[in-house]
Amino acid sequence: MVRIGGFIVGVGFVFALLLGIWDTVSNWIKEPPKATVEEEFHAHAHGPEGGFSFEGAFGTYDKRQLQRGMQVYKEVCAACHSLRLVSFRDLTALGYSEGQIKTIAKGFQVPSLNPETGEPATRDGMPADRFPSPYANNIAAAAANNNAIPPDLSLMAKARADGSNYIYSLLTGYQAQPAELLKKFPEAKTPEGLHYNPYFHTLNLAMAAPLKDGQVTYSDGTAATTKNYAADVAAFLTWTAEPKMEARKTAGFATLIFLVIFCFLAYGAKKQIWRNVKD
């Protein structure tokens, strides 16, 4: 009786489950979910023409591009965004000399304390310091940016899918809302104070287009265009997120070579040990 009762209960659960699934599927067929504006108009990220030098298994960073990206960050992005996980002395990996790093660090004001009063103060940055936030706290950041707190950019290239291409696309993707969007989704008009960008997940973000042609002057003669700025700062932010990428690729390649050699040695050892053993 216990087995029969358990069987009946199990059949009842299975029937209820199948009934629920059927009800859900039938309702979906009768009234399929309506497409959202984000689903229809969100664009897929893409990189600059020719891609980035660090792409692929054997890709490496272009130090000149990273230095240009550092310049764009310093002259444009640093006004709102911090790099709290990056120290000034880390810039030696980009080819900067000790004197250049001291000069770069000195151009930033970092939080400190007044040695006489103990009150909060600021001082010139030093190589051991990390890139500071331009705001004293999140409340000040929100107040200065339409209640949107600018995110730290240290790991942005890893925090977003296809990060390097995403950053490039976002910085070059500002545009007016398409007429087709407003015709199909009139309620999705970009709110006052926000800016339309199809590469952002909600299509509208608080940050205005930060880059424009001629904004930063490169000392190496590279054209001062928005696309070049975006590609360079995207490469720089990829480095801040993955400073050991080149070493990781080298180690991975060396490991593969070792495994191939090890397989041949193991096979040879097996043949040597069992060569005189008959089936």
Side-chain angles (χ1 to χ4, degrees), residues 66 86 108 127 132 149 181 193 237 247 255 273:
L66 296 184
V86 182
F108 288 81
I149 301 175
L181 182 153
L237 293 179
T255 300
I273 293 172

Side-chain angles (χ1 to χ4, degrees), residues 23-54:
D23 183 61
T24 301
V25 172
S26 61
N27 288 335
W28 185 87
I29 293 174
K30 293 177 181 178
E31 296 183 15
K34 295 182 180 179
T36 65
V37 62
E38 291 83 5
E39 291 173 341
E40 290 207 16
F41 290 90
H42 179 69
H44 295 289
H46 61 87
E49 185 177 352
F52 291 102
S53 65
F54 50 80

Side-chain angles (χ1 to χ4, degrees), residues 61 90 93 238-251:
Y61 287 123
D90 294 335
T238 301
W239 172 80
T240 65
E242 296 194 82
K244 304 297 183 182
M245 177 192 289
E246 293 174 325
R248 175 169 53 80
K249 289 182 178 181
T250 301

Side-chain angles (χ1 to χ4, degrees), residues 58 250-265:
F58 302 101
T250 301
F253 183 64
T255 300
L256 290 176
I257 293 177
F258 168 78
L259 290 175
V260 171
I261 295 174
F262 177 78
C263 287
F264 280 105
L265 291 175

Side-chain angles (χ1 to χ4, degrees), residues 71-87:
Q71 182 181 353
V72 174
Y73 168 78
K74 181 176 180 292
E75 296 186 19
V76 181
C77 309
C80 297
H81 299 276
S82 62
L83 286 175
R84 62 183 178 83
L85 299 181
V86 182
S87 299

Side-chain angles (χ1 to χ4, degrees), residues 3-278:
R3 290 185 178 180
I4 295 175
F7 176 77
I8 294 174
V9 172
V11 170
F13 276 117
V14 171
F15 178 76
L17 177 62
L18 293 176
L19 185 62
I21 294 175
W22 170 253
D23 183 61
T24 301
V25 172
S26 61
N27 288 335
W28 185 87
I29 293 174
K30 293 177 181 178
E31 296 183 15
K34 295 182 180 179
T36 65
V37 62
E38 291 83 5
E39 291 173 341
E40 290 207 16
F41 290 90
H42 179 69
H44 295 289
H46 61 87
E49 185 177 352
F52 291 102
S53 65
F54 50 80
E55 294 176 333
F58 302 101
T60 58
Y61 287 123
D62 179 346
K63 290 186 177 181
R64 288 188 299 177
Q65 183 180 45
L66 296 184
Q67 289 188 7
R68 294 196 301 269
M70 162 60 196
Q71 182 181 353
V72 174
Y73 168 78
K74 181 176 180 292
E75 296 186 19
V76 181
C77 309
C80 297
H81 299 276
S82 62
L83 286 175
R84 62 183 178 83
L85 299 181
V86 182
S87 299
F88 293 111
R89 61 187 174 192
D90 294 335
L91 297 178
T92 54
L94 275 59
Y96 288 106
S97 66
E98 182 179 349
Q100 289 175 316
I101 291 176
K102 287 182 179 179
T103 300
I104 293 172
K106 194 173 182 180
F108 288 81
Q109 291 295 303
V110 301
S112 182
L113 293 175
N114 188 312
E116 298 179 356
T117 65
E119 294 294 322
T122 59
R123 59 170 173 78
D124 292 342
M126 297 186 294
D129 293 320
R130 295 183 175 182
F131 284 83
S133 169
Y135 305 104
N137 50 56
N138 285 343
I139 296 177
N145 294 278
N146 195 26
N147 291 323
I149 301 175
D152 180 82
L153 298 181
S154 304
L155 300 177
M156 188 56 65
K158 294 183 72 174
R160 299 291 183 269
D162 198 13
S164 305
N165 291 335
Y166 168 79
I167 293 171
Y168 174 83
S169 297
L170 185 75
L171 293 175
T172 58
Y174 287 88
Q175 57 189 265
Q177 275 191 306
E180 181 186 358
L181 182 153
L182 295 176
K183 181 178 180 181
K184 191 169 184 179
F185 301 97
E187 72 285 356
K189 181 177 175 61
T190 298
E192 187 71 25
L194 299 183
H195 308 274
Y196 179 77
N197 192 314
Y199 298 99
F200 194 65
H201 66 285
T202 63
L203 304 183
N204 302 295
L205 71 165
M207 181 177 71
L211 302 174
K212 60 182 179 180
D213 291 350
Q215 189 173 2
V216 177
T217 302
Y218 288 138
S219 60
D220 63 358
T222 300
T225 64
T226 298
K227 290 185 176 180
N228 283 341
Y229 298 152
D232 294 342
V233 79
F236 173 68
L237 293 179
T238 301
W239 172 80
T240 65
E242 296 194 82
K244 304 297 183 182
M245 177 192 289
E246 293 174 325
R248 175 169 53 80
K249 289 182 178 181
T250 301
F253 183 64
T255 300
L256 290 176
I257 293 177
F258 168 78
L259 290 175
V260 171
I261 295 174
F262 177 78
C263 287
F264 280 105
L265 291 175
Y267 179 75
K270 179 256 185 186
K271 297 291 288 186
Q272 178 69 20
I273 293 172
W274 294 96
R275 64 179 179 174
N276 294 323
V277 178
K278 296 181 179 181

